[in-house]
Coordinates of all heavy atoms in Angstrom, one line a residue:
E223 N -2.4 19.4 10.1 CA -2.2 19.3 11.6 C -2.7 17.9 12.1 O -2.1 17.2 12.9 CB -2.8 20.5 12.3 CG -2.7 20.4 13.8 CD -3.9 19.8 14.5 OE1 -5.0 19.9 13.9 OE2 -3.7 19.1 15.5
L224 N -3.9 17.6 11.7 CA -4.6 16.3 12.1 C -3.8 15.1 11.6 O -3.6 14.1 12.3 CB -6.0 16.3 11.6 CG -6.8 15.0 12.0 CD1 -6.8 14.7 13.4 CD2 -8.2 15.1 11.4
A225 N -3.4 15.2 10.3 CA -2.7 14.1 9.7 C -1.3 13.8 10.5 O -1.0 12.7 10.8 CB -2.4 14.4 8.3
H226 N -0.6 14.9 10.8 CA 0.7 14.7 11.5 C 0.4 14.3 13.0 O 1.3 13.6 13.5 CB 1.4 16.1 11.5 CG 1.8 16.5 10.2 ND1 2.1 17.8 9.9 CD2 1.8 15.9 9.0 CE1 2.4 18.0 8.6 NE2 2.2 16.8 8.0
L227 N -0.7 14.6 13.5 CA -1.0 14.2 14.9 C -1.3 12.7 15.0 O -0.8 12.0 15.8 CB -2.2 15.0 15.4 CG -2.8 14.5 16.8 CD1 -1.9 14.8 17.9 CD2 -4.2 15.2 17.0
V228 N -2.1 12.2 14.1 CA -2.6 10.8 14.1 C -1.6 9.9 13.4 O -1.4 8.8 13.9 CB -4.0 10.7 13.5 CG1 -4.4 9.2 13.6 CG2 -5.0 11.6 14.3
F229 N -1.0 10.3 12.3 CA 0.0 9.5 11.6 C 1.2 10.3 11.3 O 1.5 10.7 10.2 CB -0.7 9.0 10.2 CG -1.7 8.0 10.4 CD1 -3.1 8.4 10.2 CD2 -1.4 6.7 10.7 CE1 -4.1 7.5 10.3 CE2 -2.5 5.8 10.8 CZ -3.8 6.1 10.6
R257 N -11.9 24.0 11.0 CA -11.3 22.9 11.9 C -11.7 21.6 11.3 O -12.9 21.2 11.4 CB -11.7 23.1 13.3 CG -11.1 22.0 14.2 CD -11.5 22.3 15.7 NE -10.8 21.5 16.6 CZ -11.2 20.3 17.1 NH1 -12.3 19.8 16.7 NH2 -10.4 19.7 18.0
V258 N -10.8 20.8 10.8 CA -11.1 19.5 10.2 C -11.2 18.5 11.4 O -10.3 18.3 12.2 CB -10.0 19.0 9.2 CG1 -10.3 17.6 8.8 CG2 -10.0 19.9 8.0
E259 N -12.4 17.8 11.5 CA -12.6 16.9 12.6 C -12.3 15.4 12.1 O -12.2 14.5 13.0 CB -14.0 17.0 13.1 CG -14.3 18.4 13.7 CD -15.6 18.4 14.4 OE1 -16.6 17.8 13.9 OE2 -15.7 19.1 15.5
G260 N -12.3 15.2 10.8 CA -12.0 13.9 10.3 C -11.8 13.9 8.8 O -12.3 14.9 8.1
V282 N -9.4 8.9 9.2 CA -8.9 9.6 10.4 C -10.0 10.4 11.1 O -10.7 11.2 10.4 CB -7.7 10.4 10.1 CG1 -7.2 11.2 11.4 CG2 -6.6 9.6 9.5
V283 N -10.2 10.3 12.4 CA -11.1 11.1 13.1 C -10.3 11.7 14.3 O -9.6 11.0 15.0 CB -12.3 10.3 13.7 CG1 -13.2 11.2 14.6 CG2 -13.2 9.8 12.5
R284 N -10.5 13.0 14.5 CA -9.8 13.7 15.6 C -10.2 13.1 16.9 O -11.3 12.7 17.1 CB -10.2 15.2 15.6 CG -9.3 16.1 16.5 CD -9.6 17.5 16.3 NE -9.3 18.1 15.0 CZ -8.1 18.5 14.7 NH1 -7.1 18.4 15.6 NH2 -7.8 18.9 13.5
P285 N -9.2 12.8 17.8 CA -9.5 12.1 19.1 C -10.7 12.7 19.9 O -11.5 11.9 20.4 CB -8.2 12.2 19.8 CG -7.1 12.3 18.8 CD -7.7 13.1 17.7
D286 N -10.8 14.0 19.9 CA -11.9 14.6 20.7 C -13.2 14.6 20.0 O -14.2 15.1 20.5 CB -11.5 16.0 21.2 CG -11.2 17.0 20.1 OD1 -11.5 16.6 18.9 OD2 -10.8 18.1 20.4
A287 N -13.2 14.1 18.7 CA -14.5 14.0 18.0 C -15.0 12.6 17.8 O -16.0 12.4 17.0 CB -14.3 14.7 16.6
R288 N -14.3 11.6 18.4 CA -14.7 10.3 18.2 C -16.0 10.0 19.0 O -16.4 10.7 19.9 CB -13.6 9.3 18.6 CG -12.4 9.4 17.7 CD -11.2 8.7 18.2 NE -10.1 8.9 17.2 CZ -8.8 8.6 17.5 NH1 -8.5 8.1 18.6 NH2 -7.9 8.9 16.6
G289 N -16.7 8.9 18.6 CA -17.9 8.5 19.2 C -19.2 9.2 18.6 O -20.3 9.1 19.2
R290 N -19.0 9.9 17.5 CA -20.1 10.6 16.8 C -20.4 10.0 15.4 O -21.0 10.7 14.6 CB -19.8 12.1 16.7 CG -19.7 12.7 18.1 CD -18.9 14.0 18.1 NE -19.2 14.9 16.9 CZ -18.5 15.9 16.5 NH1 -17.3 16.2 17.2 NH2 -18.8 16.6 15.5
L292 N -18.5 9.7 13.0 CA -17.9 10.4 11.9 C -17.1 9.4 11.0 O -17.0 9.6 9.7 CB -16.9 11.5 12.4 CG -17.5 12.6 13.3 CD1 -16.5 13.7 13.6 CD2 -18.8 13.2 12.6

Side-chain angles (χ1 to χ4, degrees):
E223 176 268 326
L224 177 57
H226 298 162
L227 171 68
V228 179
F229 289 107
R257 184 178 191 265
V258 173
E259 298 191 321
V282 177
V283 175
R284 193 175 291 278
D286 61 7
R288 292 171 184 168
R290 294 160 43 195
L292 300 188

